[in-house]
Amino acid sequence: MYPLVHQMSSDSTGEVKAQAFDEARQYNIGRGVMHIHEAAQRPKTALFTLTPPLEIIGRQKERTELASAVGAAFRRGVSLVVLAVHGMAGAGKTALARALAIQLSSQFPHARLEIDLHGFTPGAMPRDPGEVLATWLGLAGFRASDIPLNLEDKTQIWRAWLAERQVLLLLDNAHTVEQVLPLLPGEAPRCLTLITSRDSLDELEAVVRLELERLPSADAVALLASRSGRHFAADDGLLFALAERCGFLPLALRPLGALLARRDAADLLEAMDAGQHRFQHLVGAENSSAQVRALADDHVPRVLGS
């Protein structure tokens, strides 16, 4: 790679008087030359951090309702559009929000940012909104020395940066309204915020609020079959029984479907019914296994009434 060369020439003869390479610069001071090394420019960062959505079986009605709400809000000129998707653990809130974000992505060319706020992540503390804002402002090009320490001041700079841009924010796994509020775009007229949480965040003003329930049984069975890559009859009783043991919750259905690709459905059902914990057989099946086991101990027994 050739170095970048800066030259100084005589106006009358075109003779080269001095040269500097790469980030060095030379300035003519009277009859002398001063050499100054300037700092390299900050790398430009693409502001697109959305995670590709998992395969979604069903949920078409919910996606249509949410997309329609966004369109109606922007047509009315609503300055702050917030969609709050809440519901029990494992219901597929994140997958639905990501799918909607990808569906609407062309409307937000300047930035599409996703953050896991760890509101209900086992073993993790909820993310501090000030730290999130510092990260996002850094991605937007602000130097650390230009980012204030005070949360309110960070929020003001963040909203000023968003004001003239079309940006989509996905705040996943939110814990409280207090955690979310500093991250919102304020009156930025062309920004959209999607929020997922186990809590309904009732104090939050939202254009639409959706409580996500368990999958319908037919969709739960279809998800198991799709993840397994195998062909099953739509009315397969074993698959229905497995889906029922999962409480019809996608977080538990996905790793079970992956196991179903290499294990017999009857064997899996027997293993689930024999164990004290429904999902102990999923250890090591996927990265989400710890969450699945926590889900089994918490939500699934109540769903099934056991």
Side-chain angles (χ1 to χ4, degrees):
M1 181 176 179
Y2 293 102
L4 180 63
V5 179
H6 307 278
Q7 296 182 338
M8 295 178 61
S9 308
S10 167
D11 291 338
S12 58
T13 65
E15 179 184 358
V16 174
K17 298 294 187 182
Q19 289 183 334
F21 298 88
D22 295 321
E23 296 303 328
R25 299 292 188 274
Q26 297 188 22
Y27 297 89
N28 191 15
I29 309 298
R31 295 188 176 184
V33 175
M34 178 179 290
H35 297 264
I36 299 176
H37 188 276
E38 296 183 344
Q41 292 184 348
R42 288 170 57 86
K44 293 184 178 180
T45 305
L47 299 177
F48 304 100
T49 63
L50 288 181
T51 302
L54 298 170
E55 176 192 19
I56 290 186
I57 302 292
R59 304 299 194 199
Q60 187 57 50
K61 177 177 180 291
E62 291 88 345
R63 290 173 63 180
T64 300
E65 289 178 357
L66 293 175
S68 297
V70 173
F74 281 128
R75 285 193 296 272
R76 295 197 309 270
V78 175
S79 59
L80 174 61
V81 181
V82 176
L83 302 181
V85 180
H86 62 100
M88 68 174 66
K93 301 180 294 295
T94 299
L96 177 62
R98 286 173 176 168
L100 180 64
I102 295 298
Q103 179 180 337
L104 302 175
S105 61
S106 63
Q107 301 179 39
F108 303 96
H110 297 127
R112 300 186 288 274
L113 300 171
E114 175 182 340
I115 189 75
D116 184 351
L117 295 176
H118 295 307
F120 298 90
T121 303
M125 292 293 293
R127 293 286 300 270
D128 178 77
E131 293 179 358
V132 174
L133 284 175
T135 298
W136 277 353
L137 288 170
L139 289 174
F142 290 85
R143 297 182 183 276
S145 59
D146 296 329
I147 300 175
L149 297 177
N150 181 274
L151 175 60
E152 183 178 351
D153 292 340
K154 284 190 182 83
T155 298
Q156 292 293 327
I157 294 176
W158 175 237
R159 291 176 177 170
W161 184 83
L162 291 173
E164 299 299 324
R165 292 173 171 85
Q166 295 166 276
V167 176
L168 185 150
L169 305 175
L170 173 49
L171 310 181
D172 186 37
N173 196 13
H175 190 246
T176 62
V177 170
E178 290 73 23
Q179 184 189 33
V180 165
L181 283 176
L183 309 178
L184 299 182
E187 296 185 0
R190 295 177 293 176
C191 295
L192 169 65
T193 307
L194 307 176
I195 303 173
T196 74
S197 177
R198 293 189 195 180
D199 191 272
S200 59
L201 306 176
D202 291 328
E203 303 93 336
L204 189 67
E205 295 183 5
V207 172
V208 64
R209 192 184 304 275
L210 173 68
E211 182 174 5
L212 203 61
E213 302 288 349
R214 294 174 293 158
L215 278 176
S217 59
D219 290 336
V221 168
L223 179 56
L224 274 180
S226 176
R227 287 284 289 157
S228 74
R230 296 165 57 187
H231 175 73
F232 293 92
D235 59 351
D236 190 295
L238 284 174
L239 253 62
F240 178 85
L242 287 171
E244 184 182 40
R245 301 303 192 277
C246 293
F248 305 116
L249 296 173
L251 182 64
L253 290 164
R254 292 182 186 282
L256 186 64
L259 280 180
L260 195 58
R262 58 185 184 273
R263 293 189 58 180
D264 184 75
D267 291 342
L268 284 178
L269 185 61
E270 181 181 357
M272 294 181 74
D273 288 343
Q276 180 180 358
H277 300 287
R278 296 181 189 277
F279 296 95
Q280 62 183 5
H281 65 289
L282 293 180
V283 175
E286 286 196 351
N287 292 332
S288 61
S289 59
Q291 292 177 291
V292 171
R293 293 195 303 276
L295 176 67
D297 293 336
D298 185 11
H299 289 275
V300 174
R302 292 204 298 271
V303 170
L304 299 178
S306 57

